[in-house]
Amino acid sequence: MEEMQKLIDLRNDFLKDIEEISNRVDLENFRVKYFGKKSILSDLMNILRDASSDKKPILGKEINSLKIELKNLFDEKKNSLSKNLDECNTFDKTIKGNEFFISNFHPITLVMNEAIEVFKSLGFSLAYGPDIEADYYNFSALNFPDEHPARDMQDTFFLDDYDENKKNFLLRTHTSPVQVRYMKYHKPPFQIISPGNVYRCDSDISHTPMFHQIEGLAISNDISFANLKWILTEFIHRIFGYDINTRFRPSFFPFTEPSVEVDMSCVICHGKGCRVCKDTGWVEILGAGMVHPNVLKNVSISPDEYQGFAFGMGIERIAMIKYGIDDIRLFFENDIRFLKKFC
């Protein structure tokens, strides 16, 4: 009968098509064609529906048998194909694979670690403190009187709502509060550095709201400005090279007296004058000075018995000079093209 012939033709087409399958794409197309929702096998139900009542029992049995047979043939083909593809080397070894990079420290971390190691080799210990500070530790104890103009030198993030019972909290503007805390609870002599994050309301090509500092402090009964000068000169030489010259210019900081700005000869032009150093031959690198007697008094250290020096530097500033970077914001943009240069 006509319906049975259709089943025979379908089986023959199935056997022919399944022999032509050679990859997983062909296998999926074949599955959709014969076993999908709108496939050829699904249309067999239309043949059964249109058949006469006396033919339906026989035709239905043949259709079910055919479906089972074809499904088994398909599963065998699928398993055989998967095994062959797994055993064969189907990829071209000459094709370049995905590029990957070995991770490395961020340039700021590289410079921070290098600076810490230099100071540790010079006898300094590490000291740390909180990022959220009280006004007393950040300003008052460091000889910043209330309403003193020197407070305007640092644009501060105040946190008046940090604690309902305690006002005048802020994000520290320098790591000097660590020095205050250390002096309050340690007896001289000592020399420490305090690396960490600091915060100021400033943002442009040379400033960011958050940046990094290392500050140093040394207190003893026989420390002089000569010791400070040697320490800072040695630090600059170890970071930038022994062919770099230094100079110390008078300046002002509330917590040191006398105070100085420290310059180094330009690493680009070596003191001859260029765009980087604005044709002066010098680049400002850090600030320093002898600890102010009032600061020593505020932490119960007698300025008649002890004296010391302090210094502070921005790590981003050092990194910009060391690597020839003219925009501080590059350090915080997470651009892989920029960061790859330090791998």
Side-chain angles (χ1 to χ4, degrees):
M1 57 184 169
E2 181 180 355
E3 291 83 354
M4 293 299 293
Q5 186 60 46
K6 289 183 178 180
L7 296 181
I8 294 173
D9 292 341
L10 172 59
R11 185 178 185 277
N12 292 334
D13 291 340
F14 183 95
L15 294 175
K16 179 182 177 181
D17 290 345
I18 202 171
E19 289 298 325
E20 297 178 357
I21 297 175
S22 61
N23 54 60
R24 290 189 175 92
V25 175
D26 293 342
L27 185 71
E28 177 61 17
N29 293 335
F30 181 87
R31 185 195 66 79
V32 173
K33 178 180 179 180
Y34 284 97
F35 299 101
K37 291 184 178 180
K38 298 181 179 180
S39 64
I40 296 175
L41 289 178
S42 298
D43 292 340
L44 291 178
M45 298 308 298
N46 295 331
I47 298 177
L48 184 63
R49 186 186 64 233
D50 297 337
S52 59
S53 299
D54 58 327
K55 294 181 180 180
K56 283 184 177 180
I58 299 174
L59 190 60
K61 182 178 180 180
E62 292 295 331
I63 290 175
N64 287 334
S65 298
L66 180 63
K67 284 185 174 180
I68 293 173
E69 179 188 6
L70 299 186
K71 183 64 169 63
N72 290 336
L73 291 173
F74 174 76
D75 289 342
E76 291 177 4
K77 183 67 176 182
K78 180 179 179 181
N79 293 334
S80 175
L81 180 66
S82 297
K83 182 179 179 180
N84 291 336
L85 290 177
D86 290 340
E87 292 177 352
C88 295
N89 186 0
T90 58
F91 63 91
D92 186 350
K93 293 182 179 180
T94 64
I95 297 177
K96 186 178 180 181
N98 294 331
E99 189 175 7
F100 67 94
F101 306 97
I102 298 175
S103 62
N104 192 39
F105 287 115
H106 189 278
I108 295 300
T109 304
L110 290 173
V111 174
M112 177 75 85
N113 290 345
E114 184 179 5
I116 289 174
E117 289 304 314
V118 170
F119 284 119
K120 286 172 65 176
S121 71
L122 295 174
F124 286 80
S125 302
L126 287 170
Y128 295 96
D131 286 15
I132 296 178
E133 269 294 3
D135 179 279
Y136 171 78
Y137 288 104
N138 196 83
F139 288 126
S140 300
L142 291 166
N143 203 35
F144 286 83
D146 294 342
E147 308 301 330
H148 192 283
R151 288 177 178 257
D152 297 333
M153 296 170 61
Q154 303 179 10
D155 298 322
T156 308
F157 289 104
F158 286 99
L159 306 175
D160 290 340
D161 297 329
Y162 175 69
D163 189 326
E164 293 181 357
N165 299 318
K166 298 179 181 179
K167 299 297 182 180
N168 297 323
F169 274 83
L170 48 87
L171 294 177
R172 65 183 184 186
T173 59
H174 44 192
T175 57
S176 300
V178 179
Q179 300 175 8
V180 176
R181 291 176 178 273
Y182 195 92
M183 287 188 288
K184 283 177 67 72
Y185 301 106
H186 294 80
K187 183 178 180 180
F190 50 74
Q191 52 187 49
I192 62 167
I193 54 170
S194 52
N197 305 334
V198 295
Y199 310 85
R200 298 182 190 179
C201 302
D202 206 353
S203 181
D204 54 40
I205 64 172
S206 58
H207 301 86
T208 53
M210 187 279 290
F211 56 103
H212 304 80
Q213 279 189 344
I214 286 186
E215 296 196 16
L217 172 71
I219 302 293
S220 182
N221 56 7
D222 59 353
I223 285 180
S224 69
F225 191 89
N227 300 125
L228 170 64
K229 185 176 180 180
W230 184 89
I231 287 287
L232 296 182
T233 301
E234 182 67 14
F235 169 78
I236 292 172
H237 284 166
R238 293 197 190 182
I239 295 295
F240 296 100
Y242 282 87
D243 59 336
I244 297 297
N245 295 319
T246 60
R247 71 177 183 182
F248 292 70
R249 293 180 291 107
S251 186
F252 166 78
F253 302 109
F255 36 83
T256 54
E257 181 61 37
S259 303
V260 293
E261 296 280 2
V262 183
D263 299 335
M264 53 179 277
S265 56
C266 180
V267 296
I268 305 299
C269 65
H270 298 284
K272 296 179 181 179
C274 66
R275 181 176 61 86
V276 174
C277 61
K278 300 178 181 179
D279 294 320
T280 65
W282 296 95
V283 178
E284 181 182 320
I285 187 69
L286 59 90
M290 302 301 292
V291 178
H292 198 291
N294 289 345
V295 174
L296 296 177
K297 292 177 181 178
N298 290 336
V299 293
S300 301
I301 294 178
S302 172
D304 296 327
E305 183 178 358
Y306 294 101
Q307 62 272 353
F309 62 74
F311 56 85
M313 63 192 74
I315 297 301
E316 282 80 359
R317 175 71 172 166
I318 296 175
M320 291 174 73
I321 297 173
K322 186 178 180 68
Y323 297 124
I325 298 168
D326 59 3
D327 191 335
I328 194 174
R329 292 170 293 190
L330 290 171
F331 291 126
F332 302 96
E333 291 178 349
N334 294 325
D335 188 330
I336 191 66
R337 296 168 299 179
F338 171 75
L339 298 177
K340 280 170 56 178
K341 297 180 180 179
F342 304 93
C343 291

